[in-house]
Structure formats: structure tokens, C-alpha cells
């Protein structure tokens, strides 16, 4: 009997549309001889919409959109009682990016339901989504990072002037201001003076109640895909030719300005250092399945971990599949199958654990 794979897409996130692109490619790549594919579209309001057994190729991500008048609770109840086939083999592929999907919330729900799923567990998903917590943890393990500080919304509102003075004293200009939780460069801006800093604080706090401020570093950013459970392996590093000071949302997904260079232009020694650092970061954050680690490399060959993404963009031309194709010839379909196997492996290992009081 075929295993049923439920691909979650959309979601309550600013990365909703990116999720649909990733899900479309994943659905098209899943081997229909081995699996039944059921896309589950999650609206911007959080309602789960069953799109039924999907046998054809998806031509446009918009095919996955659906409209529903149901509530979140009722739609999730319908998924559990009428859609999820309790007497068959099931697996969930959360093709969700950002909060309410990549941050451990969905993963926790699936853990409670005792359903195997692709990708990282609750802890690694939630920790990696929070840039401040991630950096604090990596600091403990002496993983190099650029200088940073953070602020919560309530403390900023209590004394805005003090917050700005602290940034100027501890970080200086120019600096980057980011929401602590989020992705795809949404809400991120650079400040070169006090006026820009004030505006950047206001912008970042639109997307999260906690923000992080990082010192600017003159460096190239490498992207490394790490895949595995107990023995994770890093791909070759890749990079993008810089046409902007940093890649905002438009540069990444709309303008088509990104020019990938794979493998990245690094010496063998620095390539090895970048890959080992990516693997160490993956392990420190207790990751499983997959992640993409972004690492800065300066002209002096210093390296600094920027961030880790536990469900990176996963279209056919996204960096993750491109990196593995360049590393060992793995095709997109083979990578999807590998992630499914890793998800089942992790589930089966945890299933035999005995819980005692």
C-alpha cells in the first residue's frame, strides 16, 4: 500500500507565497508510484483546506490556493477525522516558511498526533526561528558571529533614546536591524545614522516584538545545505553575486537579480572550514532532516555564521537543491525522497522510546 504524503503549504506567514512555490515543486517531484499526495492549503487566516488526492503536475503555484468559510479549529478537526487516513501509512511534509509553520508550532501539533513528518523537530525549529536565541546558543559553543544586540518592544517603548544610544555605543554604524523571528529578509533594513536607526526600529517592530541589531561586516555570504539526522553532511558552499548591499525580499523573489555561483569561489581550506562550521551549527541546534546555514567569509578568510534556516526555500531552482546537484549529482526528486526517508527514520527511532512516570 502506498504511503500518504500530506504537503502543508501557504500558512499564516509573510512567506505564504514562497511556501506555495516550494510546495508546487515538492508535489511535482514526489514519486506517485510510491506515494499518494494530498496538498493541504493553509490560508492566511490559518484555515486548513483539503485539496484532495493530487495526481497531476502543478503548472502554477496559484493552483494550490483555496477559499474557505470554515474556522481554524473546525478545519483542523476535519483534517483529522475526514482527511487523515488513520488506518494507513502517513507522513506530513511541512512546506511552510516562517512563523506558524517553520517555528515548531506545526511540528508540535504533529508530535501530539504521533504522525511522522519531514524536517526538524519542535526544539530546533523554534530555536532556529528566533535569531536572538540562536545567536546566544551559538555563542556558548564558540561559533563565530558578528557583534549583535537585541531589544524587546516593551523596553524600547519605555525608553527609545536609551535603546538608540546603546546601539550607537555597542554596535555603531552602519548596522542591520532585523525582526528576531522571520525570514526572506522581510522587515530588515540598514541604518547609517540616527534617523535611519529610528525608522529601522519602527519597521522591524511591525513584524516581531523582539528585534536584533548586527554590526555590518564586509564579506561574502556563503550558503551551505546540511542534510541528515545523526551524521549530517554539508553540501559544497554556494554564493550569490552581490548586486545590492543586502538581499531584500524583492531581490530574492521578484526582481530576478540573484546570480548564483556554485561552488562558491573559495580555497579548498576555507571551503572545508565553512562546511565543518555548518555541520557543527546544525548539530548544536539539534537539527534533523535539513537546514541551510548562511556564513560570511571576509577577504581575510575570517568566517562568521549569519543564520540557519530549518525549512529553506525549496523550489527547483532554490539554493538547497542546486547545492546538492553540484555536490554529488543528487537530483531534486532524489533529494525529496531522501528527506522523506530521513523523516521516517527519525519517527521510527522515537517510536520505540518508552515513556515512564
Amino acid at each position: 500500500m502506498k504511503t500518504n504524503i500530506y504537503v502543508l503549504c501557504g500558512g499564516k506567514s509573510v512567506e505564504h507565497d514562497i511556501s506555495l512555490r516550494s510546495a508546487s515543486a515538492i508535489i511535482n517531484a514526489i514519486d506517485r508510484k510510491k506515494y499518494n499526495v494530498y496538498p493541504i492549503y493553509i490560508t492566511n487566516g490559518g484555515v486548513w483546506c483539503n485539496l484532495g488526492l493530487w495526481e497531476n503536475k502543478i503548472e502554477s503555484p496559484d493552483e494550490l490556493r483555496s477559499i474557505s468559510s470554515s474556522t481554524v479549529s473546525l478545519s483542523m478537526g476535519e483534517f483529522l477525522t475526514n482527511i487523515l487516513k488513520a488506518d494507513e501509512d502517513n507522513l506530513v511534509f511541512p512546506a511552510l516558511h516562517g512563523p506558524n509553520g517553520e517555528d515548531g508550532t506545526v511540528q508540535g501539533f504533529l508530535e501530539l498526533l504521533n504522525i511522522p513528518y519531514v524536517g526538524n523537530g519542535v526544539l530546533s525549529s523554534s530555536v532556529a526561528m528566533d535569531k536572538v536565541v540562536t545567536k546566544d546558543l551559538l555563542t556558548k559553543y564558540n561559533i563565530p558571529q558578528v557583534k549583535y544586540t537585541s531589544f524587546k518592544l516593551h523596553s524600547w517603548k519605555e525608553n527609545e533614546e536609551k535603546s538608540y544610544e546603546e546601539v550607537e555605543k555597542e554596535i555603531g554604524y552602519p548596522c542591520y536591524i532585523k525582526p528576531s523571528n522571520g525570514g526572506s529578509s522581510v522587515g530588515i533594513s540598514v541604518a547609517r545614522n540616527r534617523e535611519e536607526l529610528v525608522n529601522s526600529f519602527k519597521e522591524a517592530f511591525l513584524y516581531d516584538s523582539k528585534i536584533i541589531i548586527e554590526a555590518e561586516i564586509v564579506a561574502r555570504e556563503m550558503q551551505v545545505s546540511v542534510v541528515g539526522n545523526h551524521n549530517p553532511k554539508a553540501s559544497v558552499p554556494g554564493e550569490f553575486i552581490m548586486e545590492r548591499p543586502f538581499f531584500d525580499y524583492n531581490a530574492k523573489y521578484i526582481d530576478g537579480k540573484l546570480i548564483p555561483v556554485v561552488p562558491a569561489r573559495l580555497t579548498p581550506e576555507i571551503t572545508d572550514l565553512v562546511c565543518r562550521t555548518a555541520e557543527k551549527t546544525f548539530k548544536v541546534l539539534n537539527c534533523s532532516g535539513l537546514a541551510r546555514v548562511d556564513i560570511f567569509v571576509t577577504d581575510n578568510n575570517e568566517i562568521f555564521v549569519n543564520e540557519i534556516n530549518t525549512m529553506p526555500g525549496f523550489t527547483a531552482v532554490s539554493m538547497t537543491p542546486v547545492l546538492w546537484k553540484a555536490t554529488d549529482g543528487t537530483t531534486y526528486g532524489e533529494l525529496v525522497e531522501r528527506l522523506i526517508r530521513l523523516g521516517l527514520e527519525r519517527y521510527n527511532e522515537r517510536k520505540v522510546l518508552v515513556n515512564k512516570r
Side-chain angles (χ1 to χ4, degrees), residues 207-257:
Y207 299 96
D208 195 14
S209 60
K210 181 168 61 175
I211 65 174
I212 186 167
I213 295 85
E214 300 171 338
E216 182 181 67
I217 183 171
V218 179
R220 295 146 56 200
E221 186 177 54
M222 305 298 148
Q223 298 190 350
V224 183
S225 175
V226 184
V227 170
N229 287 337
H230 302 303
N231 298 297
K233 301 299 181 184
S235 70
V236 297
E239 63 179 315
F240 290 103
I241 294 177
M242 297 291 288
E243 292 191 3
R244 297 185 179 186
F246 73 99
F247 294 140
D248 59 12
Y249 183 93
N250 286 338
K252 286 182 175 179
Y253 300 113
I254 297 176
D255 296 345
K257 296 292 186 181

Side-chain angles (χ1 to χ4, degrees), residues 77-217:
E78 181 184 3
F79 170 75
L80 296 177
T81 57
N82 300 330
I83 302 167
L84 188 67
K85 303 181 186 303
D87 57 343
E88 298 180 12
D89 292 331
N90 303 303
L91 176 134
V92 172
F93 200 129
L96 299 167
H97 305 307
N100 301 298
E102 189 184 346
D103 58 355
T105 51
V106 166
Q107 290 74 16
F109 177 60
L110 297 174
E111 291 282 355
L112 289 173
L113 297 175
N114 196 30
I115 298 174
Y117 57 91
V118 169
N120 288 274
V122 178
L123 178 63
S124 53
S125 296
S126 57
V127 167
M129 178 55 60
D130 191 308
K131 294 180 176 64
V132 176
V133 174
T134 295
K135 288 183 176 294
D136 289 346
L137 186 55
L138 296 184
T139 297
K140 175 179 173 58
Y141 285 87
N142 299 314
I143 294 177
Q145 303 168 89
V146 299
K147 186 182 295 186
Y148 70 94
T149 189
S150 63
F151 296 90
K152 292 185 177 179
L153 178 61
H154 70 88
S155 63
W156 170 66
K157 285 184 174 181
E158 288 175 355
N159 195 329
E160 294 185 23
E161 181 69 20
K162 181 180 178 181
S163 300
Y164 304 141
E165 290 177 351
E166 182 176 332
V167 172
E168 292 169 339
K169 179 181 178 181
E170 300 295 331
I171 306 299
Y173 298 114
C175 58
Y176 287 87
I177 298 85
K178 308 175 181 180
S180 186
N181 290 270
S184 292
S185 300
V186 174
I188 297 178
S189 54
V190 60
R192 302 173 184 83
N193 52 54
R194 173 63 73 89
E195 181 181 0
E196 292 182 349
L197 183 65
V198 172
N199 292 332
S200 295
F201 262 68
K202 293 178 180 178
E203 173 71 13
F205 274 128
L206 292 175
Y207 299 96
D208 195 14
S209 60
K210 181 168 61 175
I211 65 174
I212 186 167
I213 295 85
E214 300 171 338
E216 182 181 67
I217 183 171

Side-chain angles (χ1 to χ4, degrees), residues 1 17-18 32 41 48 51 61 69 95 105 132 168 171 212 266 277 284 295 314 329 333 346:
M1 182 178 294
D17 291 348
I18 310 307
R32 298 305 197 277
Y41 172 69
W48 291 40
L51 303 185
S69 60
T105 51
V132 176
E168 292 169 339
I171 306 299
I212 186 167
L266 298 171
T277 302
V284 165
I295 298 176
F314 215 83
R346 178 177 177 274

Side-chain angles (χ1 to χ4, degrees), residues 225 227 233-235 320-330 335 338:
S225 175
V227 170
K233 301 299 181 184
S235 70
T320 294
V322 169
L323 288 172
W324 282 107
K325 182 68 174 178
T327 300
D328 57 14
T330 298
L335 183 56
R338 185 178 177 189

